[in-house]
Amino acid sequence: MGIAADLPTSTEVLDRVGAARRQVMAGAAAQVSRLSDHELADSVASLARLESQVQAWQLELAAEADRRRVAEAAADTGTDAWLARLTGTRREMLKGGLLLAQRLEETYPTTVAALAEGSIRLEQARTIVDVLAATEDEATPAQREAAQELLIGKATGEANRSGAPMTAPQLRRVGRRIYRTIDTELHRRHLTASVRRSERTGENDTWLTLHDRGDGRYVGRFTLPERHGQLLQTVLHSLCTPRRYGHDHRGTARYDDTIGGPGSELGWADRLGIALCELIEHLPTDRLPRSAVNLLVTVDLDTLRSDLVDAGVATMTSGADLTASDARRLACEAGLVPAVLGTGSTPLDLGRTTRLHTDKQRQALALTHDSCAIATCDRPFAWTEVHHPHAWGDGGTTDLANALPLCWHHHRAAHDDRFELHHLGASEWILHRRRRPPPQDSSRRITVARPPT
C-alpha cells in the first residue's frame, strides 16, 4: 500500500512528513486572491489528490499498527482507540477506516494504488470495496481486477462521456452492474446480491430521533433506506421548487416563484425544512394515506426475461434498485402502469391504474376486519395496505374475494418467497415458512395456499 517508489528509512519518513507539512503551511500562507481562475481550479484539484494520498498513507499506518497490536502495549482497548487517542478523531469513525484498510490491503490492491496516487477519493475507494464485496467470494481475482479498473475509470471520469468524476452514490449504482460486460452469469448474481445487501443495510440501520429543545424548536436526525429517502426527497423537492407551475382559471400557464425566488434569503436547507412542515401539516387526520408511489414499468422484453426474472431486481425512476419482492409489494398500493416494449421501443402492453382496490372496497373490508388480516397481528385496519392473494400479474382480480388488508410488515412477508399464506377462517390468515425453497423463477410468482371450497 506504500506511496513512495523508493524505500526511505524511518528517520527519512518523519523528515518527509515534516517537510510536507511545511510545504502545506507555506502554500496556505500565499494570497489566493492573486490566483487566476485556472490556477484556482488547479489548486483545488491538486489539494484533493494530496488529501487522497495522505489518507492512503494513514490507512497503511493504521493497518500496520493493527498487525503489530500496538494497542495492547499501550493499554488501549483496540487499535481504533489507540488511533483516536493520537488523532482526536471519533473511535467509531476510525474503526470503519481500519476495516477498510484491511480490506484494501488484502483484496483490492488496484483500488488502493489509485487512492495512493491521488486519482480517486477515499469515499470512492470505500464504495468500490463495498459494492464488490457482494460477490467477493464468487468472482475470480481476474474478474475483480477488471471490475476495479472499470470502476476506477468511472470514479476519475476517464471512462465517462462527460469526463466528470462520479460521486460515491453514482458509483454505487454503476457498481451493481459492473460485471455486465465481464461475465453474464456473475453479473446477474452480483446485481441481485448487491441490491439485497444494500436493502438489508438500509433496513437494519433505520432510525429516527426527535428532541424538544424547549425553545420552540424540535431537533432530530434520521437514517432511512435508500428507496424511502428518495421518495421523501422527491416529495420535498416538489414542494420547495423555486418555481411552481400551474394554470389560472382561464387555463393560462402560470408559476409562483415566491419560494426561493429572486431576492429570497432562504437557503436550500431552510426551504427543505419549510417543505417538511408543509408535508406534515397536510397529513390526513382520518386515516393513513395510501402509497405515494406510482410505478411506471417500462421494460424491453430482453430485460424482462433477464434482469427482473433471473436477477430479481427492479429500478425506480429516482435510481434506487429494489428486489422483485419489494417492487411487487409497492405495486399492491401504487398506481401501476406497465409499458412492455418490444424491438424499436414499440409498446406491446399498456396497463391502467384501475387494478387498485377502491375506497368503497376498503370500507367493505373494514366491516370484516378491524386489524391486519394475519391472525397474530393487532395493527389497526387504518394502517393496512390491500394485498392481492392471487397476484394481479398472475390473473388475479381486484375484488373483495381477492383482497386482504395487511400491515406493512406482513405485506412484505406475503411477497417474500420464503413464506406462503394459509387461510384460517372467515377473516383470519397466517403466514407459514415454506418447507422447500421456491422454484428458480419464483421472482414472478407468489403461491397462495387457498382455502377449500
Side-chain angles (χ1 to χ4, degrees):
M1 195 189 289
I3 298 175
D6 53 357
L7 298 174
T9 65
S10 58
T11 303
E12 289 174 332
V13 169
L14 294 177
D15 289 343
R16 291 182 181 185
V17 171
R21 290 184 60 198
R22 288 190 294 273
Q23 289 290 334
V24 170
M25 291 177 65
Q31 293 186 8
V32 296
S33 59
R34 295 184 176 180
L35 297 174
S36 66
D37 291 352
H38 180 72
E39 291 170 335
L40 192 64
D42 284 347
S43 298
V44 170
S46 296
L47 279 175
R49 294 177 68 91
L50 176 61
E51 183 181 19
S52 294
Q53 291 177 298
V54 171
Q55 288 171 331
W57 200 354
Q58 289 176 322
L59 290 175
E60 182 182 13
L61 294 172
E64 179 64 20
D66 191 62
R67 250 190 318 271
R68 295 187 191 182
R69 297 185 177 180
V70 295
E72 296 179 7
D76 287 308
T77 56
T79 305
D80 52 345
W82 180 78
L83 292 167
R85 179 168 56 82
L86 293 173
T87 63
T89 307
R90 287 190 302 167
R91 179 176 177 176
E92 58 269 25
M93 293 181 64
L94 290 168
K95 186 173 183 180
L98 185 59
L99 294 174
L100 176 63
Q102 294 167 345
R103 299 288 302 286
L104 284 168
E105 189 174 65
E106 295 169 1
T107 315
Y108 301 97
T110 304
T111 300
V112 75
L115 182 65
E117 292 171 359
S119 301
I120 62 174
R121 309 285 80 81
L122 179 61
E123 192 58 33
Q124 291 173 322
R126 192 187 304 275
T127 300
I128 291 173
V129 171
D130 185 59
V131 76
L132 294 183
T135 52
E136 188 176 283
D137 297 333
E138 300 181 50
T140 65
Q143 289 172 332
R144 269 202 312 272
E145 177 74 14
Q148 287 180 79
E149 291 178 354
L150 288 173
L151 286 172
I152 290 170
K154 294 290 186 181
T156 60
E158 294 178 0
N160 303 329
R161 289 184 178 180
S162 64
M166 281 191 171
T167 63
Q170 292 172 328
L171 203 59
R172 185 177 300 278
R173 286 192 287 270
V174 170
R176 289 171 180 166
R177 295 165 175 83
I178 200 64
Y179 288 113
R180 185 189 295 272
T181 59
I182 299 173
D183 185 280
T184 303
E185 287 303 317
L186 179 60
H187 156 65
R188 291 173 177 173
R189 295 196 301 270
H190 179 74
L191 179 59
T192 302
S194 58
V195 172
R196 288 178 177 172
R197 190 169 186 261
S198 179
E199 187 179 86
R200 287 194 301 269
T201 300
E203 290 175 353
N204 294 338
D205 192 29
T206 297
W207 53 270
L208 180 146
T209 60
L210 281 175
H211 174 65
D212 185 357
R213 297 185 58 171
D215 59 357
R217 292 178 295 173
Y218 260 77
V219 295
R221 298 177 63 197
F222 62 84
T223 297
L224 298 176
E226 179 184 17
R227 61 187 180 278
H228 296 97
Q230 290 190 355
L231 284 171
L232 177 61
Q233 185 181 59
T234 299
V235 173
L236 294 180
H237 282 187
S238 68
L239 290 174
C240 63
T241 182
R243 294 186 174 186
R244 293 183 180 178
Y245 287 89
H247 297 82
D248 60 17
H249 65 283
R250 296 178 180 177
T252 305
R254 306 288 185 186
Y255 64 84
D256 180 1
D257 61 356
T258 57
I259 299 181
S264 172
E265 297 181 356
L266 292 178
W268 183 245
D270 301 307
R271 281 183 274 157
L272 284 175
I274 294 172
L276 180 60
C277 293
E278 183 178 352
L279 178 64
I280 293 172
E281 287 184 2
H282 286 84
L283 290 176
T285 57
D286 54 341
R287 64 177 177 85
L288 293 177
R290 282 191 173 189
S291 171
V293 178
N294 268 313
L295 294 182
L296 175 61
V297 185
T298 306
V299 60
D300 59 77
L301 289 177
D302 290 338
T303 303
L304 184 64
R305 294 191 184 104
S306 59
D307 282 1
L308 187 57
V309 176
D310 298 326
V313 173
T315 303
M316 296 172 64
T317 55
S318 59
D321 290 313
L322 309 174
T323 58
S325 60
D326 245 2
R328 292 196 304 270
R329 178 182 63 83
L330 289 173
C332 281
E333 284 290 299
L336 181 62
V337 185
V340 180
L341 306 179
T343 57
S345 297
T346 304
L348 300 181
D349 182 27
L350 295 177
R352 61 195 189 283
T353 57
T354 53
R355 61 177 292 280
L356 297 178
H357 289 89
T358 65
D359 289 339
K360 292 296 183 182
Q361 288 173 317
R362 284 186 64 91
Q363 293 170 7
L365 284 174
L367 298 176
T368 54
H369 296 85
D370 58 1
S371 64
C372 172
I374 301 301
T376 56
C377 185
D378 59 358
R379 288 181 175 85
F381 180 87
W383 291 18
T384 61
E385 304 163 352
V386 181
H387 171 67
H388 292 77
H390 184 196
W392 172 269
D394 289 342
T397 56
T398 304
D399 52 34
L400 289 177
N402 191 37
L404 276 185
L406 298 179
C407 68
W408 182 84
H409 171 77
H410 288 118
H411 197 180
R412 289 173 61 86
H415 284 281
D416 191 327
D417 290 323
R418 294 173 300 175
F419 302 94
E420 60 182 355
L421 276 166
H422 286 269
H423 198 264
L424 290 183
S427 61
E428 289 187 326
W429 293 66
I430 195 167
L431 282 159
H432 282 310
R433 185 177 291 273
R434 295 179 187 269
R435 295 182 180 179
R436 289 178 294 180
Q440 290 297 317
D441 63 343
S442 60
S443 60
R444 294 183 299 171
R445 183 174 66 250
I446 301 174
T447 304
V448 177
R450 300 185 184 283
T453 55

